[in-house]
């Protein structure tokens, strides 16, 4: 199969050239922050950094600070802006838990750029101009719907901007309009197949959907396998967040070994989430990203809270030269600390989903009884089981989980369709019921 590219010249740019151009863009970004951003000019002054000290990527570490989600929140609404307010043509936000939205602001050129990188990811995932592409993430402050839209417009396919929810209608659109590819928040792709089943429709046989691009939740290879099987498709993993753009910042190619990040748009570092020390390739840590072209709201050394690792910088089998990083292993906010042991929810996911008797839905419920943390893992079976089968599955899962987590969780196996589903937004697979949790959830 010949690999398709949206922008072959940029996507296969020799690394030397890529480095030269990103060095130049980095220098320009720092200068722009210095001249136009209230937030950064103050920061530079405080730290005694002069714009002319930053000449190339090598000078990155002279910026002895990180930008955090709280910085953006504290600058709400326009404190991070680096252009006149009337040049902002679109904005998005993630809500977070504390109330103040975390904004991402865009000029006209920022939207064009977002369309470019999103189109690269969509084409990498198999979208062509002949496709009928259904967008199921919401169109609104959440950047999902619009991110796919800006990219798909560039590819020139037929777009169904269905937005979130109304699952039966989504399935009806797929059938009536001949959808061949769709985008979704990971758990919603599962939900849609379930709703179709309730409607008596077999998505593998009765829809033309054979391609999909998914993101916005941490998901493991095991989850990907389940999704592939459910829809008879090859699912692709897209990365992005609204503080910079949204979906389109990175994507996995047909090799499915990590995601390519667009190095002509972003500089990536991986740091130790506790100390901030820079880590080498294949070392797990927090992704730190610097924008290279963002006009409205450039971000320098932004702590993404996503845990991953950089892979070797060699040209990928697909022909792209842009660096790959591993699929997201967890978020710093999601790391669970229970009775002195730390674990990521993704460790639970990859352990249980390996078992063919397990469906895709599970929940990790943490409670505290008599000062003791209790971890209960609720798992749906893939079909209705007898009492004996259920007990057998429970015992196997408990043993496997104990080996991975290094403590004994409670395991409960329930019938398919028992656990709560999410129609709009992200799945809540981690439920921490510890009251006044004395910071039991790790904070970066
Ligand atoms: Zn590749």
């Amino acid at each position: 199969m010949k690999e398709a590219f949206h922008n072959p010249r940029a996507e296969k740019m020799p690394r030397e050239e890529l480095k030269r151009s990103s060095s130049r863009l980095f220098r320009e970004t720092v200068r722009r922050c210095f001249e136009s951003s209230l937030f950064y000019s103050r920061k530079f002054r405080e730290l005694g950094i002069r714009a002319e000290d930053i000449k190339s990527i090598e000078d990155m570490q002279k910026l002895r600070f990180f930008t955090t989600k709280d910085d953006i929140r504290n600058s709400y609404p326009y404190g991070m802006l680096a252009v006149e307010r009337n040049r902002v043509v679109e904005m998005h936000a993630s809500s977070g838990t504390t109330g103040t939205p975390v904004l991402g602001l865009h000029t006209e050129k920022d939207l064009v750029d977002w369309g470019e990188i999103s189109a690269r990811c969509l084409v990498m995932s198999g979208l062509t101009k002949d496709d009928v592409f259904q967008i199921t993430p919401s169109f609104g402050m959440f950047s999902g719907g619009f991110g796919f839209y800006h990219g798909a417009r560039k590819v020139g396919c037929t777009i169904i901007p269905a937005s979130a929810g109304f699952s039966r209608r989504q399935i009806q659109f797929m059938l009536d309009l001949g959808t061949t590819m769709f985008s979704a928040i990971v758990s919603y792709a599962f939900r849609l197949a379930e709703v179709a089943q309730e409607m008596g429709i077999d998505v593998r046989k009765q829809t033309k959907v054979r391609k999909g691009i998914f993101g916005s939740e941490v998901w493991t290879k095991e989850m990907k396998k389940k999704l592939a099987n459910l829809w008879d498709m090859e699912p692709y993993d897209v990365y992005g967040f609204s503080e910079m753009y949204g979906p389109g910042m990175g994507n996995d190619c047909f090799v499915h070994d990590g995601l390519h990040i667009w190095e002509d748009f972003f500089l990536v570092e991986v740091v130790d989430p506790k100390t901030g020390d820079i880590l080498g390739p294949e070392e797990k840590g927090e992704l730190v990203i610097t924008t290279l072209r963002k006009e409205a709201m450039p971000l320098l050394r932004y702590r993404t809270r996503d845990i991953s690792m950089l892979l070797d910088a060699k040209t990928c089998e697909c022909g792209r030269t842009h660096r790959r990083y591993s699929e997201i292993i967890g978020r710093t906010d999601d790391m669970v600390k229970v009775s002195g042991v730390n674990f990521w929810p993704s460790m639970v996911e990859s352990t249980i989903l390996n078992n063919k008797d397990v469906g895709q839905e599970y929940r990790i419920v943490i409670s505290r009884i008599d000062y003791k943390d209790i971890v209960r893992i609720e798992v749906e079976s893939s079909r209705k089981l007898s009492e004996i089968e259920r007990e057998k599955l429970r015992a196997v899962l408990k043993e496997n989980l104990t080996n991975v987590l290094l403590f004994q969780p409670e395991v409960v196996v329930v019938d398919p369709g028992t656990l709560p589903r999410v129609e709009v937004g992200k799945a809540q697979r981690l439920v921490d019921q510890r009251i006044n949790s004395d910071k039991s959830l790790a904070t970066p």
Side-chain angles (χ1 to χ4, degrees):
M1 188 186 76
K2 199 173 169 295
E3 176 69 350
F5 298 92
H6 173 67
N7 184 344
R9 160 96 189 84
E11 293 175 52
K12 295 195 277 188
M13 185 181 282
R15 288 204 62 80
E16 266 311 303
E17 197 182 332
L18 200 52
K19 198 173 168 196
R20 265 201 310 279
S21 104
S22 43
S23 240
R24 176 179 56 80
L25 291 165
F26 176 57
R27 203 166 55 230
E28 286 169 12
T29 297
V30 171
R31 204 184 53 225
R32 210 165 49 246
C33 286
F34 194 80
E35 287 165 0
S36 317
S37 156
L38 191 64
F39 174 82
Y40 284 115
S41 58
R42 194 182 292 153
K43 191 126 213 157
F44 290 166
R45 264 203 314 278
E46 273 167 23
L47 294 170
I49 301 165
R50 298 174 310 166
E52 53 270 33
D53 293 338
I54 310 298
K55 296 188 183 68
S56 72
I57 305 176
E58 272 76 39
D59 296 324
M60 176 74 115
Q61 282 159 57
K62 290 187 188 162
L63 302 178
R64 298 177 305 278
F65 64 89
F66 294 108
T67 309
T68 64
K69 204 172 249 213
D70 282 338
D71 289 331
I72 302 181
R73 212 175 260 134
N74 296 336
S75 313
Y76 179 82
Y78 293 129
M80 304 288 286
L81 198 59
V83 296
E84 293 291 321
R85 205 276 311 141
N86 64 7
R87 286 191 57 209
V88 175
V89 298
E90 190 173 308
M91 65 177 75
H92 292 281
S94 58
S95 49
T97 43
T98 61
T100 309
V102 180
L103 286 183
L105 307 168
H106 307 283
T107 64
E108 184 59 38
K109 184 182 163 294
D110 291 335
L111 287 193
V112 171
D113 285 348
W114 188 7
E116 160 74 21
I117 52 177
S118 170
R120 290 184 197 175
C121 293
L122 287 166
V123 172
M124 202 191 301
S125 307
L127 186 69
T128 69
K129 67 177 185 34
D130 297 324
D131 276 303
V132 178
F133 179 51
Q134 189 163 330
I135 301 175
T136 76
S138 67
F139 284 72
M141 291 308 270
F142 178 59
S143 58
F146 281 101
F148 289 115
Y149 180 81
H150 292 312
R153 288 283 293 145
K154 296 225 167 184
V155 178
C157 59
T158 305
I159 299 172
I160 308 171
S163 197
F166 304 101
S167 305
R168 284 176 171 251
R169 197 183 61 175
Q170 301 269 9
I171 297 294
Q172 204 57 52
F173 277 151
M174 285 183 175
L175 295 170
D176 296 345
L177 307 174
T179 303
T180 55
M181 175 164 173
F182 76 107
S183 63
I185 293 178
V186 177
S187 51
Y188 193 59
F190 286 96
R191 178 66 191 140
L192 273 181
E194 251 174 17
V195 170
Q197 206 183 13
E198 287 161 23
M199 294 164 71
I201 290 154
D202 179 350
V203 291
R204 294 170 60 100
K205 295 206 178 82
Q206 287 166 269
T207 72
K208 292 189 181 138
V209 176
R210 291 292 81 82
K211 298 184 261 190
I213 179 167
F214 309 102
S216 196
E217 286 172 357
V218 177
W219 56 324
T220 57
K221 287 198 168 67
E222 288 72 19
M223 188 69 104
K224 279 174 195 156
K225 250 186 252 163
K226 284 213 184 279
L227 190 58
N229 189 34
L230 199 57
W231 283 88
D232 183 21
M233 67 154 68
E234 191 180 344
Y236 282 81
D237 189 353
V238 68
Y239 181 72
F241 48 85
S242 52
E243 300 93 299
M244 285 185 183
Y245 295 95
M249 295 170 62
N251 208 85
D252 66 343
C253 62
F254 70 85
V255 180
H256 299 297
D257 182 19
L259 288 78
H260 290 280
I261 184 145
W262 304 116
E263 289 182 278
D264 51 345
F265 283 82
F266 309 102
L267 285 181
V268 195
E269 301 166 276
V270 173
V271 306
D272 181 321
K274 285 208 186 77
T275 62
D277 292 342
I278 296 182
L279 302 175
E282 316 266 333
E283 288 185 295
K284 267 183 223 167
E286 183 177 352
L287 286 177
V288 170
I289 303 182
T290 296
T291 59
L292 291 175
R293 294 178 194 254
K294 211 55 215 296
E295 286 186 338
M297 205 179 118
L299 290 171
L300 301 174
R301 306 194 81 198
Y302 183 63
R303 304 276 300 241
T304 64
R305 303 189 179 196
D306 290 325
I307 302 294
S308 172
M309 59 186 173
L310 283 171
L311 306 179
D312 264 347
K314 56 177 188 244
T315 304
C316 178
E317 245 179 87
C318 71
R320 292 179 181 84
T321 50
H322 298 249
R323 197 91 197 247
R324 278 176 298 161
Y325 58 105
S326 80
E327 65 209 12
I328 305 302
I329 299 154
R331 304 231 150 96
T332 51
D333 327 60
D334 291 346
M335 193 168 78
V336 188
K337 195 172 171 193
V338 176
S339 311
V341 181
N342 295 339
F343 72 93
W344 299 108
S346 61
M347 291 160 70
V348 170
E349 181 175 306
S350 53
T351 308
I352 58 176
L353 295 195
N354 252 327
N355 192 308
K356 67 171 176 30
D357 290 333
V358 171
Q360 77 278 355
E361 290 301 327
Y362 68 93
R363 276 203 322 181
I364 304 169
V365 182
I366 303 160
S367 53
R368 180 168 291 168
I369 298 169
D370 295 337
Y371 304 101
K372 194 169 178 300
D373 291 335
I374 309 285
V375 178
R376 187 174 74 245
I377 297 172
E378 304 171 344
V379 181
E380 271 186 17
S381 51
S382 57
R383 59 189 170 84
K384 214 168 169 12
L385 301 177
S386 68
E387 269 310 312
I388 296 167
E389 288 172 319
R390 187 184 303 182
E391 178 49 34
K392 214 169 126 189
L393 177 60
R394 196 192 67 78
V396 170
L397 293 177
K398 182 162 182 155
E399 189 186 339
N400 294 346
L401 284 164
T402 304
N403 285 336
V404 172
L405 300 175
L406 307 178
F407 66 84
Q408 280 206 355
E410 279 179 22
V411 176
V412 180
V413 177
V414 297
D415 281 340
T418 311
L419 296 174
R421 267 46 172 181
V422 171
E423 291 285 325
V424 177
K426 303 178 191 187
Q428 289 294 328
R429 293 213 172 88
L430 178 65
V431 183
D432 198 334
Q433 298 173 332
R434 292 175 288 191
I435 310 160
N436 302 326
S437 67
D438 66 36
K439 297 258 177 222
S440 292
L441 276 182
T443 41

